[in-house]
Structure formats: C-alpha cells, structure tokens
Amino acid sequence: MSKLNLSLYDSRQHKAIPFVALDPLHVRLYFCGPTVYDFLHIGNLRAMLTADILVRLLRSLYPKVTYVRNITDVDDKINARAKLNNESIQSLTERTTKDFHQDMHSMYILPPDVEPRATEHIEEIQQMISQLMKNGHAYAAEGHVLFSVPSYKEYGHLSGRNPEELIAGARVEVATYKKNPGDFVLWKPSNEDEPGWDSPWGRGRPGWHIECSAMSYRYLGESFDIHGGGHDLLFPHHENECAQSLCCFPESKFANMWVHNAMLLVDGEKMSKSLGNFFTIREVLEQHHPEAIRFALLQAHYRSVLNFSQAGLKEAKQIMDRFYRALSVFEKELDQVVPLPEDFLEAMLDDLNTPKALMVMHQLADQALKGSKKAALQLKIAGQQLGLFNIAPSKWFQNTDKAQEIETLIEQRNAAKKARDFVTADRIRNVLKEQGIVLEDSPQGTIWRQI
C-alpha cells in the first residue's frame, strides 16, 4: 500500500489531509514532552500514547524517522515544587525524569530518538531570542525579553482565532513592561534562589515557549513534518511556538502538520484532585495490566474525548484475555512473520483510526479461535503494531506469584492421571479452579491460565 494513502487531521487546516513527507527518505516529528516536577497523570499518558502509535506507523512506512520529544526541566512549577519539597531543583528534576522514563517503559511506549532537555540548550535559546530581536519581533524591557504579538500579522493562524479573541480567552499576565497585553515572555530575570544563566539581557532563564522552538530547530531544522501534543497545548503554547519559529526563520514552514489529541475524562468528568478522580500513571499501573490500559485508551479515536473508567479497564482486560487466548492456540508457531492485514493497515492510515483497527483484530481473534493459524499470525502482528502482545500468551495467563506452586500441582495431577487415579486428578483440578486457575489439556501438554 502506498505511503501517500496516509492521512492525518491537521489542526491548522481543521481537516484530514494526505500526509506528504518533506523528505520521503526521512520523516521528522516533534512532540511536547513533560515538565518534570511530579508523576505524570493519565491525561498526559494519552498524549504520549498518541505519539507512540503515530511513530510506530511512520516507521512501518518510511525508511527513516527521527522522533524528538523534549524534557522541560526549567520552569516556575519546578521551582515552586522544589521549594515545597525542601529539595534541590536538580534532585527534583532528576528523580521525576527517572519516574517518567519508568512509567513510559512500563506502558510499552517506545523512547524517542532524541530527548533534549531545556537546560542543555540555553545557548540555542539565546541565539533564537537574539535573532527575533534582530528581525524586529522581540524587545527587551526591565530584564525581560518579550515577543511582540502585533509584529506578526499571522498570529492566531494555528488556533484559527484573531489575537483579540485569543487574549480575551486567555489568562494574560498584567505587566508594566509589556508594550501589548498579549506579548509573551522569551526571557525572564532570575532571583538568586532561582535557576539562571548569564545573557545579554542579564542573568535569567527562558520562557516555556521558546524552549521547544529552539530544541526542534536544533534537531529537526527550520522545517519538519509533524508537531504534536495534547489539544490543551494548541493555545498558547503551540501558537506561540509557531510565531517565534516563523518569525525567526521567515522562509520556513516550521511544522508542516499539527496533530493534537483530545482530552480525557474520568468517569464522565474532567480530571480534578478536588473531585477525587485524578490518577497518575503509576497509580493506575498498580491495579491494571499496562496492555489493558493501552487497549482501553485505543478504543476511542485520538481526536475524540475519551471516558476513562474502572469498568472500561475491566472490559479491556477481558478483551485482551480473549485475544491472548486466540494466540495461545498457535503459541509455538507465532514467530512466523506476516504482513499487516490490509484492512487493519487501511484503518491506521485513515488518521490513526484505532477503533476500526481493533474491530479488525476482533474478527481475526474469531477466526483464530476457530482454528485459523493465518488469522492468529495476523492478529499478533496487528497487535504489536499497536504496542500490544509484548509477552507470550501462556505468560499472560500466569500473572501470579504462585506459578511454581501451580506447576507442581499440575505435575502431581499428570502423575495421578498416568496412574489412572482420576479422583486425585479431579481433586487437584478443583483445588486450582477455586484459586481462579483453569487447566486446558492439549496434545502438547497442560496449559493453565488465571481468570
């Protein structure tokens, strides 16, 4: 199937359009990563998963893909949390970055090719700010450097609103040093107890928006294929990135396409600590298998609002049980490589239509359970494309710390059957059944699974 069949919804054009790589031999994309001051929540997970699914698909279509996802490790939220915790900023960011990496690994989310940190790119940030001032799009005032929104006539073209509407709908910091209320900070002064670097405008630190512009330019160039993140970043973060980068490099495209995922609700309501429905990735992983969590998130299209619930996670686990049961029929033959099923690939090429792709997987599971080895192989390759089926089917059903004890009982049962002591064999089966362990006898031996 041709690469040109891939279509993605471009937030700037408000419609799905064919994806045409700037360089067919090398696709480049940038997604906004975390600000490292605490555990990430499940809303953050949806954005990371959307990027993961897109990158996996692009890598199956193109010879080379460079995926950049940044780490924001200088930010006022970090400063405040470090002070609250009575710990150093470095200690906080190193610890929370490690936690983030662990959560991503646990969720089978592939690492980016490049993961730049803002604090390691201060020189590039300052160079971009200097260029913006030289181009007449930024000015210094009272130790700050600000981007002049009126200087860029196209401001608002990404979110589709004019500057007046954007300013009216946003929390705009009132400051005497601003020439215009909508102007935003590129550089700000730092107190002695705050992170800071020497600059032509005094000791200070970068604003949030300029960090991503500088890092995307450093690793992807003036123009690259895709920029993405959660829909909550569309304004002001991505709007401001657009303005900065296009004003710094007027002949560039910056990001050729913009991909944004919709928000996540918990039990039908927006996540909020006050409502008691705010969950970190770590907390959800303590109760649910990561593949069940992935499946639950993939059941809704990335641009649709997703309702995340305990009932949905339980249902996702049951569906994954069924998929793994379909694979277990041919477990010893699953190492054969087959192409992605055409209808599955068509669904994914249609703006990452994971609900439709999962429907194809349900059909393949039906066929595999009826004895189709081809369907089982296609089910496996399709699931792996979505980051599923990371463990052997037999291990999926043996997620217990009593595995050795169960294996011993199965050996005793097999010995009893061989001695034609069917009373003992049945008793062992019933004992295991009471523990939620189901036995399945086959010509290859006895398989057990947890229910």
Side-chain angles (χ1 to χ4, degrees):
M1 187 168 290
S2 169
K3 300 166 189 174
L4 297 178
N5 286 108
L6 171 61
S7 67
L8 294 170
Y9 187 92
D10 181 19
S11 298
R12 178 166 47 201
Q13 298 189 49
H14 308 290
K15 63 180 180 179
I17 61 173
F19 172 74
V20 180
L22 297 176
D23 178 356
L25 299 179
H26 185 192
V27 174
R28 292 161 293 147
L29 67 162
Y30 184 99
F31 270 74
C32 290
T35 299
V36 285
Y37 67 98
D38 204 346
F39 289 116
L40 264 66
H41 57 70
I42 53 175
N44 303 133
L45 175 60
R46 192 180 196 195
M48 300 300 164
L49 181 59
T50 299
D52 188 57
I53 295 300
L54 176 56
V55 170
R56 287 172 185 265
L57 180 62
L58 290 170
R59 284 178 176 161
S60 73
L61 300 172
Y62 292 89
K64 183 178 180 181
V65 174
T66 297
Y67 168 37
V68 180
R69 185 188 67 204
N70 73 295
I71 294 283
T72 295
D73 59 351
V74 53
D75 186 88
D76 290 348
K77 291 179 181 178
I78 296 173
N79 301 342
R81 182 59 59 88
K83 188 173 182 179
L84 182 66
N85 292 353
N86 195 28
E87 69 176 316
S88 71
I89 288 171
Q90 182 178 5
S91 170
L92 173 64
T93 57
E94 287 182 356
R95 173 171 55 80
T96 50
T97 298
K98 183 178 179 180
D99 290 337
F100 165 66
H101 287 153
Q102 183 178 331
D103 286 349
M104 294 300 98
H105 178 74
S106 296
M107 284 300 308
Y108 303 110
I109 290 177
L110 301 175
D113 298 294
V114 186
E115 190 176 57
R117 302 187 183 204
T119 55
E120 297 172 354
H121 295 80
I122 299 300
E123 182 179 351
E124 290 91 340
I125 291 170
Q126 291 184 358
Q127 288 173 351
M128 184 169 273
I129 293 173
S130 295
Q131 187 63 45
L132 285 168
M133 295 181 75
K134 182 179 178 181
N135 291 356
H137 294 287
Y139 59 92
E142 299 180 24
H144 296 74
V145 181
L146 296 105
F147 182 88
S148 172
V149 168
S151 74
Y152 180 49
K153 303 306 180 186
E154 298 297 317
Y155 189 84
H157 77 291
L158 176 60
S159 53
R161 291 173 288 179
N162 63 50
E164 288 74 20
E165 289 174 326
L166 292 171
I167 293 168
R171 295 179 180 177
V172 176
E173 179 187 358
V174 178
T176 56
Y177 50 78
K178 286 187 177 184
K179 293 182 179 179
N180 181 279
D183 294 349
F184 56 88
V185 172
L186 302 173
W187 189 263
K188 63 177 75 174
S190 294
N191 298 324
E192 290 184 4
D193 60 344
E194 294 174 328
W197 292 264
D198 292 334
S199 80
W201 319 288
R203 182 178 179 275
R205 60 195 189 279
W208 176 34
H209 313 302
I210 194 66
E211 296 173 3
C212 285
S213 284
M215 289 185 283
S216 63
Y217 168 65
R218 166 67 176 80
Y219 295 100
L220 300 176
E222 294 181 10
S223 303
F224 54 93
D225 293 287
I226 300 170
H227 195 318
H231 191 269
D232 57 310
L233 297 180
L234 184 59
F235 183 83
H237 186 49
H238 288 166
E239 190 73 64
N240 291 351
E241 276 190 70
C242 265
Q244 294 162 166
S245 296
L246 292 173
C247 288
C248 193
F249 307 107
E251 302 302 316
S252 74
K253 293 178 179 292
F254 184 41
N256 201 33
M257 292 188 74
W258 289 85
V259 174
H260 291 95
N261 63 276
M263 68 182 296
L264 179 148
L265 302 177
V266 177
D267 294 323
E269 295 187 285
K270 187 175 179 180
M271 257 200 315
S272 168
K273 289 183 178 179
S274 63
L275 293 175
N277 67 349
F278 184 97
F279 300 105
T280 65
I281 300 171
R282 189 69 54 93
E283 288 170 334
V284 179
L285 279 168
E286 288 174 356
Q287 301 179 46
H288 301 280
H289 195 284
E291 291 197 15
I293 301 171
R294 278 186 80 104
F295 188 92
L297 293 173
L298 293 173
Q299 284 184 299
H301 192 279
Y302 77 93
R303 288 192 295 107
S304 300
V305 174
L306 170 67
N307 187 38
F308 193 80
S309 68
Q310 292 295 325
L313 287 168
K314 184 178 179 180
E315 179 186 358
K317 173 60 165 60
Q318 292 171 343
I319 295 172
M320 287 303 301
D321 285 347
R322 182 171 178 274
F323 284 174
Y324 268 108
R325 195 169 298 117
L327 295 181
S328 69
V329 179
F330 302 95
E331 178 157 4
K332 295 184 179 179
E333 303 171 83
L334 291 176
D335 56 347
Q336 299 180 36
V337 178
V338 297
L340 283 170
E342 187 170 329
D343 45 359
F344 173 88
L345 183 55
E346 285 179 355
M348 294 303 295
L349 291 175
D350 180 17
D351 193 27
L352 310 182
N353 193 336
T354 55
K356 189 175 180 180
L358 293 177
M359 286 177 59
V360 174
M361 290 177 63
H362 277 290
Q363 295 165 0
L364 292 171
D366 290 342
Q367 297 168 28
L369 288 167
K370 292 177 182 177
S372 172
K373 175 183 170 182
K374 177 183 177 182
L377 292 171
Q378 289 182 320
L379 174 63
K380 181 186 177 185
I381 196 71
Q384 289 180 329
Q385 182 65 43
L386 296 177
L388 304 172
F389 304 145
N390 297 282
I391 58 180
S394 56
K395 297 297 182 183
W396 173 266
F397 295 109
Q398 298 176 6
N399 187 23
T400 174
D401 55 5
K402 297 182 179 180
Q404 188 58 54
E405 178 185 332
I406 293 167
E407 294 287 354
T408 300
L409 287 171
I410 289 174
E411 289 176 8
Q412 293 174 2
R413 175 175 175 268
N414 289 339
K417 287 173 65 180
K418 191 174 182 179
R420 303 189 68 79
D421 182 1
F422 299 113
V423 173
T424 299
D426 290 344
R427 178 180 59 78
I428 294 174
R429 175 187 281 275
N430 291 333
V431 166
L432 289 170
K433 187 176 182 180
E434 290 174 0
Q435 297 177 23
I437 305 299
V438 175
L439 304 183
E440 295 178 357
D441 294 318
S442 71
Q444 291 78 32
T446 303
I447 300 171
W448 65 272
R449 57 184 175 85
Q450 197 173 21
I451 59 173

